[in-house]
Amino acid sequence: MKVYKFGGASVKSAEAFRNIAHIIRTYGGDKQLLVVVSAMGKTTNALEHIFNLAYKQHDFEQEYLQCQAYHTQISKELFPGGDSPVHERLEHLFSQLHHHLKTIPSGATYDKFYDQIVSFGELFSSVILHYFLQEQGLNNAWVDSRKYIQTDNTWREGKVDWNWTERTIKRDLPEILQDQLVVTQGFLGGTNNGLTTTLGREGSDFSAAIFAYCLGADAMYIWKDVAGLLNADPKYFKDTVRYPEISYQETVEMAYYGASVIHPKTIKPLANKLIPLYVKSFLDPGAEGTKICDCRFEVISPAYIIKENQCLISFSVKDFTFISEKNMGTIFNALSELRLKINLMQNSAISFSICTDYNQERLQRLVQTLQDQFVIHYNTSLHLFTIKNYSADSINKITTDKEILLEQRTRTTFQIVSR
Ligand code: ASP
Ligand code: MG
């Protein structure tokens, strides 16, 4: 069996939905197929915004109505008759969402309520896709992924209970897949007491990999608006090259350094079962794309990866003693408590520097926690540039005209933090 994952861009319009039906019909083949779908277009961003307003007890109606109008417009285009049950299902989901927004208690745990609300994007898109494929003669079952991917209550980054998840998926889904497609949501999980969790932004790839792993799929496909896995983001670089085939290892590293093409957690479950991952363009579905698998290549073109919105923090000991392992332990503990991830680190005699994704609230809490013990300086609005498999040329290309705050290299990887 196969797993297909369609991201936000592949369900952003009625036309895009029609294209999915075309892809499934043309390439889905005779095999059993499970389809994972993300929220439509920029819906997750919109829901984050609506949630932020509601959380602060501000008026959110206008933004909420916009989000609703976007979804109803597309479902009207897809089901012009008006008598499809999709309309009622959507209306019901929207009124549930509205109820959640209206009833956020003051002082509620932000991340927990975020998950209960922002998760609606995938419910909307999967319901529309379910009915649309059905109408196109692609018989399918709508499956609630929150009932299959069980996580702990690490809100916004649920940790998967693999045993439970695998057992439950294996118990139910192979039978359903015998005679129909399965349509389910990316990004979502559920706790054992029925609350919704999310798996981290862009986590739908990971959801698809979880299903692929648990079902022992023959292959997983990610359908995107790019030609495959490229050596750089075409938003920032011209002359990008596509890797026709690349190893799990290279891909994991690229994802870790911030290549946004695949969610970093996606590869491990696939690699563990040697399930090949194909990255293909939904705009040109017949084209080759990229195959990610258990392979090795001696020479591979340099990959350029940019992480934006970075923050460089340095800690020094107040009395000019050297930075010790004990000091670092204190710093690491605080970082882990606040779920601040280190993208790069470096130490000198009296200071220790780290580069992390900028999160104002967490940074402030970090400073509060550690300011009695360390002198802390930080710079924000920085970029982290990584070149994997670098060459002298590729380094020049990146470093010219940049103010570099930190530089690091290993045999394979070159990194700078710059303005
Ligand atoms: N809709 C979610 C997001 O935008 C998950 C995903 O698209 O992978 O982050
Ligand atoms: Mg996405």
Side-chain angles (χ1 to χ4, degrees):
M1 61 88 48
K2 294 190 291 196
V3 173
Y4 275 8
K5 181 259 171 172
F6 290 100
S10 54
V11 279
K12 68 173 185 203
S13 62
E15 198 44 48
F17 274 93
R18 292 191 194 101
N19 187 40
I20 292 191
H22 166 74
I23 288 175
I24 292 179
R25 200 176 291 116
T26 317
Y27 303 94
D30 39 3
K31 286 223 177 135
Q32 301 172 20
L33 185 64
L34 178 134
V35 178
V36 171
V37 67
S38 295
M40 287 157 54
K42 301 271 176 246
T43 298
T44 306
N45 292 351
L47 287 169
E48 277 187 351
H49 180 56
I50 294 168
F51 169 64
N52 281 331
L53 291 171
Y55 185 80
K56 293 182 196 141
Q57 317 285 338
H58 293 171
D59 180 32
F60 58 81
E61 291 299 334
Q62 197 189 332
E63 286 78 1
Y64 164 85
L65 288 173
Q66 247 169 32
C67 178
Q68 185 177 32
Y70 171 54
H71 287 80
T72 27
Q73 174 58 33
I74 287 176
S75 51
K76 275 191 188 139
E77 279 178 51
L78 291 170
F79 307 91
D83 52 353
S84 162
V86 72
H87 304 299
E88 206 179 306
R89 274 285 286 281
L90 272 182
E91 214 168 283
H92 182 65
L93 284 171
F94 269 100
S95 67
Q96 274 183 322
L97 168 61
H98 197 265
H99 176 75
H100 276 295
L101 288 163
K102 276 281 182 216
T103 54
I104 302 172
S106 70
T109 311
Y110 181 92
D111 289 349
K112 177 177 176 183
F113 281 79
Y114 172 104
D115 280 358
Q116 310 320 305
I117 283 163
V118 174
S119 51
F120 272 87
E122 271 70 12
L123 298 176
F124 301 144
S125 62
S126 63
V127 160
I128 299 177
L129 186 63
H130 160 70
Y131 285 108
F132 182 64
L133 294 179
Q134 203 68 22
E135 203 208 51
Q136 295 289 305
L138 293 161
N139 189 22
N140 73 95
W142 184 88
V143 161
D144 187 340
S145 62
R146 298 170 298 180
K147 302 212 156 60
Y148 288 92
I149 296 180
Q150 191 173 99
T151 72
D152 67 0
N153 61 4
T154 311
W155 310 111
R156 298 180 69 180
E157 213 180 317
K159 303 281 171 291
V160 176
D161 179 338
W162 284 95
N163 285 334
W164 192 96
T165 300
E166 187 172 14
R167 204 171 52 243
T168 313
I169 287 177
K170 276 195 173 136
R171 183 193 65 200
D172 293 354
L173 299 192
E175 198 183 316
I176 301 178
L177 283 161
Q178 282 303 324
D179 44 28
Q180 56 193 323
L181 308 170
V182 164
V183 170
T184 191
Q185 310 78 39
F187 188 45
L188 313 188
T191 63
N192 61 7
N193 53 0
L195 288 170
T196 303
T197 52
T198 60
L199 305 176
R201 285 302 307 265
E202 305 300 325
S204 295
D205 298 342
F206 181 40
S207 304
I210 296 170
F211 282 108
Y213 174 91
C214 295
L215 289 162
D218 298 310
M220 168 171 153
Y221 290 72
I222 296 181
W223 294 93
K224 294 190 68 85
D225 55 0
V226 288
L229 190 59
L230 307 179
N231 74 325
D233 187 335
K235 263 195 300 212
Y236 303 102
F237 292 87
K238 41 186 193 325
D239 310 327
T240 54
V241 289
R242 171 179 59 86
Y243 300 110
E245 204 172 332
I246 189 167
S247 69
Y248 291 125
Q249 169 103 27
E250 289 281 344
T251 313
V252 162
E253 289 178 4
M254 281 164 64
Y256 173 82
Y257 292 130
S260 59
V261 66
I262 293 169
H263 189 275
K265 288 183 181 167
T266 311
I267 301 299
K268 181 176 187 278
L270 301 177
N272 286 351
K273 286 204 178 163
L274 298 178
I275 300 167
L277 169 60
Y278 296 88
V279 180
K280 301 205 18 128
S281 164
F282 61 76
L283 302 167
D284 187 7
E288 182 188 40
T290 297
K291 179 182 184 184
I292 300 162
C293 57
D294 187 26
C295 56
R296 291 275 172 280
F297 296 97
E298 287 306 317
V299 188
I300 179 157
S301 347
Y304 300 88
I305 303 143
I306 303 180
K307 244 181 187 302
E308 292 181 321
N309 201 16
Q310 298 294 295
C311 162
L312 186 63
I313 315 169
S314 77
F315 306 88
S316 10
V317 187
K318 290 192 164 167
D319 60 2
F320 282 90
T321 49
F322 297 139
I323 263 274
S324 69
E325 287 71 13
K326 196 154 178 244
N327 296 142
M328 286 198 212
T330 310
I331 296 167
F332 280 126
N333 270 334
L335 290 169
S336 138
E337 286 283 309
L338 291 166
R339 284 157 65 194
L340 274 167
K341 291 197 184 95
I342 301 177
N343 294 329
L344 190 86
M345 61 184 165
Q346 203 163 67
N347 67 315
S348 69
I350 55 163
S351 83
F352 177 61
S353 306
I354 60 161
C355 174
T356 68
D357 294 350
Y358 176 61
N359 175 316
Q360 190 189 8
E361 189 233 317
R362 291 183 192 173
L363 176 62
Q364 271 163 10
R365 281 169 59 198
L366 181 75
V367 172
Q368 272 162 18
T369 314
L370 296 175
Q371 64 189 0
D372 289 344
Q373 300 166 69
F374 300 95
V375 180
I376 304 172
H377 294 289
Y378 62 85
N379 285 291
T380 59
S381 303
L382 304 177
H383 295 81
L384 170 63
F385 289 87
T386 303
I387 314 175
K388 268 192 70 25
N389 312 308
Y390 62 87
S391 58
D393 255 11
S394 59
I395 290 179
N396 281 337
K397 194 163 155 181
I398 286 290
T399 51
T400 331
D401 307 332
K402 290 212 175 68
E403 186 194 338
I404 299 174
L405 284 78
L406 195 151
E407 179 178 323
Q408 212 171 71
R409 74 175 86 187
T410 66
R411 266 189 306 159
T412 57
T413 309
F414 174 85
Q415 294 187 290
I416 56 169
V417 179
S418 75
R419 281 194 207 281

